[in-house]
Amino acid sequence: MTVAPTDFLLGVAAVLVGLAIAVGYRVVVGPTVQDRVVAVNALGTTAVVVLALLGAAFDDTGLLDVALAYGLLNFLLSVGLARILGERASPEIDSEGGAP
C-alpha cells in the first residue's frame, strides 16, 4: 500500500498544526514578552509552511501567493517588534550617538 503525495503533504500539514497549538500555549503563558514574541514568530512561520503545503497538495498557486505575502508580513512584524522591544530595553542615546 502506497501513500499518495497529497496524503503525505496533508499529513505533514496536520502535524504542523498540532505543533502550532502547542506553541500557542507559550504565546498565552509567556513568561516574558520575548518568549511571546518568539512564539508568535514561530506560529507565523508555521502558518506560512502549512499554507505552502496545502498549496502544493491541492495544486493551488493562490495559496502559495498568500503564503508568500504572509511570510513577508511575518518578517516585518518580527523586525518591528524587535525594534520596539530593543528601544524599550536600551538606555536613551543622545543626538551624537553615545550613551548619556
Side-chain angles (χ1 to χ4, degrees):
M1 180 173 160
T2 62
V3 177
T6 301
D7 293 337
F8 177 74
L9 292 174
L10 292 176
V12 171
V15 169
L16 286 175
V17 168
L19 292 173
I21 292 170
V23 172
Y25 174 78
R26 185 57 55 195
V27 172
V28 175
V29 172
T32 65
V33 175
Q34 289 83 5
D35 289 332
R36 289 184 171 109
V37 169
V38 170
V40 168
N41 190 14
L43 284 176
T45 303
T46 304
V48 169
V49 173
V50 167
L51 284 170
L53 286 170
L54 292 176
F58 296 127
D59 198 25
D60 185 8
T61 58
L63 284 175
L64 295 176
D65 292 339
V66 171
L68 183 64
Y70 191 71
L72 179 62
L73 289 174
N74 187 36
F75 171 73
L76 292 175
L77 172 76
S78 298
V79 170
L81 286 174
R83 183 173 178 152
I84 289 170
L85 292 175
E87 288 175 357
R88 186 186 302 170
S90 66
E92 298 230 2
I93 297 176
D94 63 4
S95 61
E96 296 175 7

